[in-house]
Amino acid sequence: MEDDLGGGVGTPDGWDRLWAPHRTAYLEGENRPLPGNDVPCPFCRIPMQGDDEGLIVARGELAYVVLNLYPYNAGHLLICTYRHIADLTDLSTQERNEVFELTAHSMKVLRKVSRAQGFNLGMNQGSISGAGIAEHIHQHVVPRWSGDANFMPVIGKTKVLPQLLQDTRSLLAESWNLV
Ligand SMILES: [Zn+2]
């Protein structure tokens, strides 16, 4: 999926990957909640699990930080509200503030732990936008390094080993209060 900017304003920096429907699903196939099935929302379920099991990096008052099971890059985080709300405009001011505070703190931690050189931040709003789980808002925080786009399309199709995700979670969680 190549960008054709048609003379518009913008830079073809790989942002399209973040918005591609087949890449944004937190869970896929039968585990994914869709209209018409009764699969529970994973973003509601995750906070009830332990941090290790749920891959939770940090818990805030109104929102929490979790590793994406299907990362674009190592350390790809999602900031989710505890409340099952789909749309940014329906969040309270306090929730919006906390989502962005957790986003900023995630950037600091990823810079410290993995020397991230840049980030893609964003939310898909509505299933037509490519949101894998449109019913529950989640902010993507994707760390970027020079040259990562060269191998991301290759490794991006492979699910990361659970052990690697656990190690990454521990590393980020231990560093969370140190930055
Ligand atoms: Zn939910």
Side-chain angles (χ1 to χ4, degrees):
M1 189 165 61
E2 295 300 320
D3 281 336
D4 178 6
L5 297 173
V9 177
T11 53
D13 62 358
W15 180 244
D16 57 323
R17 277 191 302 276
L18 189 56
W19 307 93
H22 66 287
R23 300 282 296 115
T24 53
Y26 181 78
L27 295 168
E28 293 174 332
E30 61 189 18
N31 291 322
R32 185 174 160 193
L34 293 168
N37 73 21
D38 57 359
V39 173
C41 173
F43 297 138
C44 288
R45 197 175 63 232
I46 287 168
M48 300 178 207
Q49 301 178 317
D51 288 0
D52 268 339
E53 187 188 359
L55 295 174
I56 294 171
V57 170
R59 296 173 191 255
E61 200 176 320
L62 303 170
Y64 66 96
V65 183
V66 63
L67 273 180
N68 193 343
L69 272 184
Y70 297 92
Y72 300 99
N73 245 349
H76 179 170
L77 298 173
L78 302 172
I79 320 297
C80 307
T81 53
Y82 293 119
R83 283 206 303 153
H84 185 81
I85 298 282
D87 202 278
L88 183 64
T89 63
D90 291 328
L91 295 185
S92 69
T93 302
Q94 290 81 2
E95 283 170 322
R96 276 195 290 269
N97 287 344
E98 191 169 315
V99 165
F100 275 89
E101 282 303 313
L102 290 172
T103 299
H105 198 83
S106 296
M107 291 172 64
K108 290 181 186 174
V109 173
L110 286 164
R111 281 195 180 119
K112 180 182 173 69
V113 170
S114 62
R115 302 188 182 197
Q117 297 170 318
F119 295 90
N120 290 118
L121 308 175
M123 299 177 182
N124 296 318
Q125 290 279 271
S127 55
I128 196 162
S129 74
I133 297 173
E135 299 84 359
H136 194 137
I137 195 165
H138 51 286
Q139 160 101 309
H140 292 263
V141 179
V142 183
R144 302 296 304 270
W145 296 269
S146 172
D148 61 8
N150 296 331
F151 64 84
M152 273 170 62
V154 179
I155 65 163
K157 290 189 171 61
T158 307
K159 188 180 172 187
V160 177
L161 293 172
Q163 185 56 46
L164 292 178
L165 286 171
Q166 292 290 358
D167 291 347
T168 304
R169 189 213 72 81
S170 297
L171 193 62
L172 294 173
E174 286 163 11
S175 303
W176 187 261
N177 292 318
L178 301 178
V179 299

Short mmCIF file of all heavy atoms in Angstrom, two decimals, residues 124-176:
data_model
loop_
_atom_site.label_atom_id
_atom_site.label_comp_id
_atom_site.label_asym_id
_atom_site.label_seq_id
_atom_site.Cartn_x
_atom_site.Cartn_y
_atom_site.Cartn_z
N ASN A 124 -7.09 5.05 15.76
CA ASN A 124 -8.04 4.79 14.69
C ASN A 124 -9.43 4.96 15.28
O ASN A 124 -9.75 4.33 16.30
CB ASN A 124 -7.87 3.37 14.15
CG ASN A 124 -6.50 3.18 13.50
OD1 ASN A 124 -6.03 4.04 12.78
ND2 ASN A 124 -5.88 2.05 13.78
N GLN A 125 -10.22 5.79 14.68
CA GLN A 125 -11.56 6.05 15.19
C GLN A 125 -12.61 5.50 14.23
O GLN A 125 -12.78 6.02 13.12
CB GLN A 125 -11.77 7.56 15.41
CG GLN A 125 -10.95 8.10 16.57
CD GLN A 125 -11.62 7.84 17.91
OE1 GLN A 125 -12.41 8.61 18.41
NE2 GLN A 125 -11.30 6.68 18.50
N GLY A 126 -13.30 4.43 14.65
CA GLY A 126 -14.29 3.78 13.79
C GLY A 126 -13.67 2.66 12.99
O GLY A 126 -12.50 2.75 12.59
N SER A 127 -14.43 1.60 12.73
CA SER A 127 -13.86 0.44 12.03
C SER A 127 -13.46 0.81 10.61
O SER A 127 -12.54 0.22 10.04
CB SER A 127 -14.85 -0.73 12.03
OG SER A 127 -16.08 -0.32 11.48
N ILE A 128 -14.11 1.79 9.99
CA ILE A 128 -13.78 2.17 8.62
C ILE A 128 -12.37 2.76 8.55
O ILE A 128 -11.72 2.75 7.52
CB ILE A 128 -14.82 3.17 8.06
CG1 ILE A 128 -14.69 3.24 6.54
CG2 ILE A 128 -14.68 4.55 8.69
CD1 ILE A 128 -15.88 3.81 5.86
N SER A 129 -11.87 3.25 9.70
CA SER A 129 -10.53 3.84 9.74
C SER A 129 -9.45 2.77 9.85
O SER A 129 -8.26 3.06 9.73
CB SER A 129 -10.41 4.77 10.94
OG SER A 129 -10.32 4.00 12.14
N GLY A 130 -9.87 1.52 10.10
CA GLY A 130 -8.89 0.47 10.26
C GLY A 130 -8.71 0.02 11.69
O GLY A 130 -7.82 -0.77 11.98
N ALA A 131 -9.53 0.52 12.59
CA ALA A 131 -9.42 0.09 13.98
C ALA A 131 -9.75 -1.39 14.09
O ALA A 131 -10.79 -1.84 13.63
CB ALA A 131 -10.39 0.89 14.86
N GLY A 132 -8.84 -2.15 14.69
CA GLY A 132 -9.07 -3.58 14.87
C GLY A 132 -10.18 -3.81 15.88
O GLY A 132 -11.00 -4.71 15.74
N ILE A 133 -10.18 -3.01 16.93
CA ILE A 133 -11.21 -3.08 17.96
C ILE A 133 -11.75 -1.66 18.12
O ILE A 133 -11.23 -0.85 18.87
CB ILE A 133 -10.64 -3.63 19.27
CG1 ILE A 133 -10.17 -5.07 19.04
CG2 ILE A 133 -11.68 -3.56 20.39
CD1 ILE A 133 -9.44 -5.69 20.18
N ALA A 134 -12.80 -1.38 17.34
CA ALA A 134 -13.29 0.00 17.24
C ALA A 134 -14.09 0.42 18.46
O ALA A 134 -14.25 1.62 18.72
CB ALA A 134 -14.12 0.16 15.98
N GLU A 135 -14.57 -0.58 19.23
CA GLU A 135 -15.51 -0.27 20.30
C GLU A 135 -14.83 0.32 21.53
O GLU A 135 -15.50 0.83 22.42
CB GLU A 135 -16.28 -1.53 20.72
CG GLU A 135 -17.12 -2.15 19.62
CD GLU A 135 -16.32 -3.08 18.72
OE1 GLU A 135 -15.10 -3.23 18.97
OE2 GLU A 135 -16.89 -3.64 17.78
N HIS A 136 -13.52 0.18 21.62
CA HIS A 136 -12.82 0.62 22.84
C HIS A 136 -11.57 1.40 22.42
O HIS A 136 -10.66 0.85 21.81
CB HIS A 136 -12.45 -0.62 23.67
CG HIS A 136 -12.04 -0.30 25.08
ND1 HIS A 136 -12.47 -1.02 26.17
CD2 HIS A 136 -11.23 0.68 25.57
CE1 HIS A 136 -11.93 -0.52 27.27
NE2 HIS A 136 -11.17 0.52 26.93
N ILE A 137 -11.58 2.65 22.78
CA ILE A 137 -10.53 3.56 22.30
C ILE A 137 -9.15 3.13 22.79
O ILE A 137 -9.00 2.65 23.93
CB ILE A 137 -10.86 5.01 22.75
CG1 ILE A 137 -10.02 6.02 21.97
CG2 ILE A 137 -10.69 5.18 24.26
CD1 ILE A 137 -10.55 7.44 22.10
N HIS A 138 -8.15 3.26 21.93
CA HIS A 138 -6.77 2.93 22.32
C HIS A 138 -5.81 3.76 21.48
O HIS A 138 -5.94 3.83 20.27
CB HIS A 138 -6.49 1.44 22.17
CG HIS A 138 -6.87 0.84 20.85
ND1 HIS A 138 -8.18 0.60 20.51
CD2 HIS A 138 -6.13 0.46 19.81
CE1 HIS A 138 -8.22 0.07 19.29
NE2 HIS A 138 -6.98 -0.02 18.83
N GLN A 139 -4.90 4.36 22.19
CA GLN A 139 -3.89 5.21 21.53
C GLN A 139 -2.63 4.37 21.28
O GLN A 139 -2.08 3.76 22.19
CB GLN A 139 -3.56 6.38 22.47
CG GLN A 139 -2.25 7.07 22.19
CD GLN A 139 -2.45 8.37 21.42
OE1 GLN A 139 -3.12 8.40 20.40
NE2 GLN A 139 -1.89 9.43 21.92
N HIS A 140 -2.18 4.34 20.01
CA HIS A 140 -0.95 3.62 19.67
C HIS A 140 0.27 4.50 19.97
O HIS A 140 0.28 5.69 19.66
CB HIS A 140 -0.91 3.29 18.17
CG HIS A 140 -1.93 2.28 17.75
ND1 HIS A 140 -1.64 0.95 17.60
CD2 HIS A 140 -3.24 2.41 17.43
CE1 HIS A 140 -2.72 0.29 17.21
NE2 HIS A 140 -3.71 1.16 17.10
N VAL A 141 1.30 3.88 20.57
CA VAL A 141 2.60 4.53 20.74
C VAL A 141 3.63 3.57 20.12
O VAL A 141 3.92 2.53 20.70
CB VAL A 141 2.94 4.80 22.21
CG1 VAL A 141 4.31 5.46 22.35
CG2 VAL A 141 1.86 5.66 22.87
N VAL A 142 4.13 3.94 18.94
CA VAL A 142 5.04 3.05 18.21
C VAL A 142 6.42 3.68 18.15
O VAL A 142 6.60 4.71 17.49
CB VAL A 142 4.53 2.79 16.77
CG1 VAL A 142 5.46 1.79 16.05
CG2 VAL A 142 3.11 2.27 16.78
N PRO A 143 7.40 3.11 18.85
CA PRO A 143 8.75 3.66 18.78
C PRO A 143 9.38 3.39 17.42
O PRO A 143 9.10 2.35 16.82
CB PRO A 143 9.51 2.91 19.89
CG PRO A 143 8.76 1.63 20.05
CD PRO A 143 7.33 1.92 19.72
N ARG A 144 10.19 4.32 16.95
CA ARG A 144 10.82 4.18 15.63
C ARG A 144 12.33 4.41 15.75
O ARG A 144 12.79 5.20 16.57
CB ARG A 144 10.24 5.22 14.65
CG ARG A 144 8.73 5.14 14.47
CD ARG A 144 8.29 3.82 13.84
NE ARG A 144 8.95 3.60 12.57
CZ ARG A 144 8.48 4.00 11.38
NH1 ARG A 144 7.34 4.67 11.33
NH2 ARG A 144 9.13 3.75 10.26
N TRP A 145 13.03 3.66 14.93
CA TRP A 145 14.48 3.82 14.83
C TRP A 145 14.86 3.98 13.37
O TRP A 145 14.17 3.47 12.48
CB TRP A 145 15.20 2.58 15.38
CG TRP A 145 14.97 2.35 16.83
CD1 TRP A 145 15.74 2.83 17.86
CD2 TRP A 145 13.91 1.62 17.45
NE1 TRP A 145 15.22 2.43 19.06
CE2 TRP A 145 14.11 1.68 18.84
CE3 TRP A 145 12.81 0.90 16.95
CZ2 TRP A 145 13.25 1.07 19.74
CZ3 TRP A 145 11.96 0.29 17.85
CH2 TRP A 145 12.17 0.38 19.22
N SER A 146 15.95 4.66 13.14
CA SER A 146 16.44 4.82 11.77
C SER A 146 16.63 3.44 11.14
O SER A 146 17.31 2.58 11.72
CB SER A 146 17.76 5.58 11.81
OG SER A 146 18.34 5.60 10.53
N GLY A 147 16.02 3.23 9.98
CA GLY A 147 16.20 1.97 9.28
C GLY A 147 15.19 0.90 9.62
O GLY A 147 15.17 -0.15 8.97
N ASP A 148 14.32 1.15 10.61
CA ASP A 148 13.41 0.07 11.00
C ASP A 148 12.41 -0.28 9.91
O ASP A 148 11.94 -1.42 9.83
CB ASP A 148 12.70 0.37 12.32
CG ASP A 148 11.83 1.62 12.28
OD1 ASP A 148 11.64 2.20 11.20
OD2 ASP A 148 11.34 2.03 13.35
N ALA A 149 12.10 0.68 9.04
CA ALA A 149 11.12 0.42 7.98
C ALA A 149 11.62 -0.64 7.01
O ALA A 149 10.85 -1.26 6.29
CB ALA A 149 10.78 1.71 7.24
N ASN A 150 12.95 -0.85 6.99
CA ASN A 150 13.49 -1.83 6.05
C ASN A 150 13.13 -3.26 6.40
O ASN A 150 12.95 -4.08 5.53
CB ASN A 150 15.02 -1.70 5.98
CG ASN A 150 15.43 -0.35 5.43
OD1 ASN A 150 14.70 0.24 4.65
ND2 ASN A 150 16.57 0.13 5.86
N PHE A 151 13.04 -3.53 7.70
CA PHE A 151 12.72 -4.91 8.06
C PHE A 151 11.34 -5.09 8.66
O PHE A 151 10.85 -6.18 8.80
CB PHE A 151 13.80 -5.48 9.01
CG PHE A 151 13.88 -4.80 10.33
CD1 PHE A 151 13.03 -5.15 11.36
CD2 PHE A 151 14.84 -3.82 10.55
CE1 PHE A 151 13.12 -4.52 12.59
CE2 PHE A 151 14.92 -3.19 11.78
CZ PHE A 151 14.07 -3.54 12.79
N MET A 152 10.68 -3.99 8.99
CA MET A 152 9.35 -4.12 9.59
C MET A 152 8.35 -4.88 8.73
O MET A 152 7.60 -5.70 9.25
CB MET A 152 8.79 -2.75 9.93
CG MET A 152 9.21 -2.29 11.31
SD MET A 152 8.81 -0.58 11.59
CE MET A 152 7.03 -0.59 11.46
N PRO A 153 8.31 -4.64 7.40
CA PRO A 153 7.32 -5.40 6.62
C PRO A 153 7.57 -6.90 6.67
O PRO A 153 6.66 -7.69 6.51
CB PRO A 153 7.54 -4.88 5.19
CG PRO A 153 8.14 -3.52 5.38
CD PRO A 153 9.02 -3.66 6.60
N VAL A 154 8.81 -7.31 6.92
CA VAL A 154 9.13 -8.73 6.99
C VAL A 154 8.73 -9.31 8.34
O VAL A 154 7.96 -10.25 8.43
CB VAL A 154 10.64 -8.96 6.75
CG1 VAL A 154 10.96 -10.43 6.83
CG2 VAL A 154 11.04 -8.39 5.40
N ILE A 155 9.24 -8.68 9.41
CA ILE A 155 8.95 -9.23 10.74
C ILE A 155 7.53 -8.92 11.18
O ILE A 155 6.99 -9.58 12.03
CB ILE A 155 9.93 -8.72 11.82
CG1 ILE A 155 9.78 -7.21 12.02
CG2 ILE A 155 11.36 -9.08 11.47
CD1 ILE A 155 10.39 -6.73 13.32
N GLY A 156 6.93 -7.90 10.56
CA GLY A 156 5.61 -7.46 10.98
C GLY A 156 4.54 -8.52 10.80
O GLY A 156 3.50 -8.46 11.41
N LYS A 157 4.79 -9.48 9.92
CA LYS A 157 3.79 -10.52 9.68
C LYS A 157 3.94 -11.69 10.63
O LYS A 157 3.17 -12.63 10.60
CB LYS A 157 3.88 -11.01 8.23
CG LYS A 157 3.42 -9.98 7.22
CD LYS A 157 3.34 -10.59 5.83
CE LYS A 157 2.68 -9.63 4.84
NZ LYS A 157 3.41 -8.38 4.69
N THR A 158 4.96 -11.65 11.46
CA THR A 158 5.21 -12.75 12.38
C THR A 158 4.84 -12.32 13.78
O THR A 158 5.28 -11.29 14.26
CB THR A 158 6.70 -13.13 12.36
OG1 THR A 158 7.09 -13.38 11.02
CG2 THR A 158 6.96 -14.36 13.20
N LYS A 159 4.04 -13.12 14.44
CA LYS A 159 3.68 -12.81 15.81
C LYS A 159 4.93 -12.93 16.68
O LYS A 159 5.69 -13.88 16.58
CB LYS A 159 2.61 -13.77 16.31
CG LYS A 159 2.06 -13.36 17.66
CD LYS A 159 0.99 -14.33 18.14
CE LYS A 159 0.62 -14.00 19.57
NZ LYS A 159 -0.28 -15.00 20.14
N VAL A 160 5.12 -11.93 17.53
CA VAL A 160 6.28 -11.94 18.41
C VAL A 160 6.13 -13.04 19.46
O VAL A 160 5.05 -13.29 19.96
CB VAL A 160 6.41 -10.56 19.09
CG1 VAL A 160 7.57 -10.55 20.06
CG2 VAL A 160 6.59 -9.48 18.04
N LEU A 161 7.25 -13.69 19.77
CA LEU A 161 7.21 -14.77 20.75
C LEU A 161 6.74 -14.23 22.10
O LEU A 161 7.18 -13.17 22.53
CB LEU A 161 8.60 -15.38 20.92
CG LEU A 161 9.13 -16.13 19.71
CD1 LEU A 161 10.59 -16.50 19.93
CD2 LEU A 161 8.30 -17.37 19.46
N PRO A 162 5.86 -14.94 22.78
CA PRO A 162 5.34 -14.46 24.07
C PRO A 162 6.45 -14.13 25.07
O PRO A 162 6.35 -13.17 25.82
CB PRO A 162 4.49 -15.64 24.56
CG PRO A 162 4.08 -16.35 23.31
CD PRO A 162 5.21 -16.18 22.34
N GLN A 163 7.51 -14.93 25.07
CA GLN A 163 8.60 -14.68 26.01
C GLN A 163 9.24 -13.32 25.77
O GLN A 163 9.59 -12.60 26.72
CB GLN A 163 9.65 -15.79 25.91
CG GLN A 163 10.75 -15.68 26.95
CD GLN A 163 10.20 -15.64 28.38
OE1 GLN A 163 9.34 -16.44 28.72
NE2 GLN A 163 10.68 -14.71 29.19
N LEU A 164 9.38 -12.95 24.50
CA LEU A 164 9.95 -11.64 24.19
C LEU A 164 9.05 -10.52 24.70
O LEU A 164 9.51 -9.50 25.20
CB LEU A 164 10.18 -11.49 22.69
CG LEU A 164 11.26 -12.39 22.08
CD1 LEU A 164 11.34 -12.16 20.58
CD2 LEU A 164 12.61 -12.10 22.73
N LEU A 165 7.75 -10.72 24.56
CA LEU A 165 6.81 -9.71 25.04
C LEU A 165 6.87 -9.59 26.57
O LEU A 165 6.82 -8.50 27.12
CB LEU A 165 5.38 -10.06 24.60
CG LEU A 165 5.07 -9.83 23.11
CD1 LEU A 165 3.72 -10.41 22.76
CD2 LEU A 165 5.10 -8.34 22.78
N GLN A 166 7.00 -10.73 27.25
CA GLN A 166 7.11 -10.70 28.71
C GLN A 166 8.37 -9.96 29.15
O GLN A 166 8.35 -9.16 30.09
CB GLN A 166 7.13 -12.13 29.27
CG GLN A 166 5.82 -12.90 29.12
CD GLN A 166 4.71 -12.36 30.01
OE1 GLN A 166 4.91 -11.44 30.78
NE2 GLN A 166 3.52 -12.93 29.87
N ASP A 167 9.48 -10.23 28.46
CA ASP A 167 10.74 -9.55 28.80
C ASP A 167 10.62 -8.05 28.56
O ASP A 167 11.08 -7.24 29.37
CB ASP A 167 11.89 -10.12 27.95
CG ASP A 167 12.23 -11.55 28.35
OD1 ASP A 167 11.74 -12.00 29.40
OD2 ASP A 167 12.96 -12.20 27.60
N THR A 168 10.03 -7.69 27.45
CA THR A 168 9.85 -6.27 27.13
C THR A 168 8.96 -5.60 28.17
O THR A 168 9.25 -4.50 28.64
CB THR A 168 9.22 -6.12 25.73
OG1 THR A 168 10.04 -6.79 24.78
CG2 THR A 168 9.11 -4.65 25.34
N ARG A 169 7.88 -6.29 28.55
CA ARG A 169 6.99 -5.73 29.57
C ARG A 169 7.73 -5.48 30.89
O ARG A 169 7.62 -4.42 31.48
CB ARG A 169 5.81 -6.69 29.84
CG ARG A 169 4.73 -6.07 30.73
CD ARG A 169 4.04 -7.07 31.61
NE ARG A 169 4.91 -7.52 32.68
CZ ARG A 169 5.12 -6.86 33.82
NH1 ARG A 169 4.53 -5.71 34.03
NH2 ARG A 169 5.96 -7.32 34.73
N SER A 170 8.51 -6.47 31.33
CA SER A 170 9.24 -6.32 32.59
C SER A 170 10.19 -5.12 32.53
O SER A 170 10.26 -4.32 33.46
CB SER A 170 10.05 -7.59 32.88
OG SER A 170 9.19 -8.67 33.05
N LEU A 171 10.89 -5.02 31.43
CA LEU A 171 11.87 -3.95 31.26
C LEU A 171 11.19 -2.57 31.33
O LEU A 171 11.64 -1.67 32.04
CB LEU A 171 12.56 -4.13 29.90
CG LEU A 171 13.81 -3.34 29.61
CD1 LEU A 171 14.91 -3.70 30.59
CD2 LEU A 171 14.27 -3.63 28.18
N LEU A 172 10.08 -2.44 30.61
CA LEU A 172 9.38 -1.15 30.58
C LEU A 172 8.72 -0.85 31.93
O LEU A 172 8.76 0.29 32.40
CB LEU A 172 8.34 -1.14 29.46
CG LEU A 172 8.90 -1.22 28.03
CD1 LEU A 172 7.76 -1.36 27.02
CD2 LEU A 172 9.75 0.01 27.70
N ALA A 173 8.15 -1.88 32.55
CA ALA A 173 7.48 -1.67 33.84
C ALA A 173 8.48 -1.26 34.92
O ALA A 173 8.21 -0.38 35.73
CB ALA A 173 6.73 -2.94 34.25
N GLU A 174 9.66 -1.89 34.90
CA GLU A 174 10.68 -1.56 35.91
C GLU A 174 11.20 -0.14 35.71
O GLU A 174 11.65 0.50 36.66
CB GLU A 174 11.85 -2.55 35.81
CG GLU A 174 11.50 -3.92 36.37
CD GLU A 174 12.48 -5.01 35.92
OE1 GLU A 174 13.52 -4.65 35.35
OE2 GLU A 174 12.18 -6.19 36.13
N SER A 175 11.18 0.34 34.50
CA SER A 175 11.70 1.67 34.21
C SER A 175 10.65 2.76 34.34
O SER A 175 10.97 3.95 34.29
CB SER A 175 12.28 1.71 32.78
OG SER A 175 13.27 0.73 32.63
N TRP A 176 9.38 2.34 34.50
CA TRP A 176 8.28 3.29 34.42
C TRP A 176 8.42 4.44 35.42
O TRP A 176 8.18 5.60 35.10
CB TRP A 176 6.93 2.57 34.63
CG TRP A 176 5.77 3.46 34.38
CD1 TRP A 176 5.02 4.12 35.32
CD2 TRP A 176 5.22 3.81 33.11
NE1 TRP A 176 4.03 4.85 34.71
CE2 TRP A 176 4.14 4.68 33.36
CE3 TRP A 176 5.54 3.48 31.79
CZ2 TRP A 176 3.36 5.22 32.33
CZ3 TRP A 176 4.77 4.01 30.76
CH2 TRP A 176 3.70 4.88 31.04
#
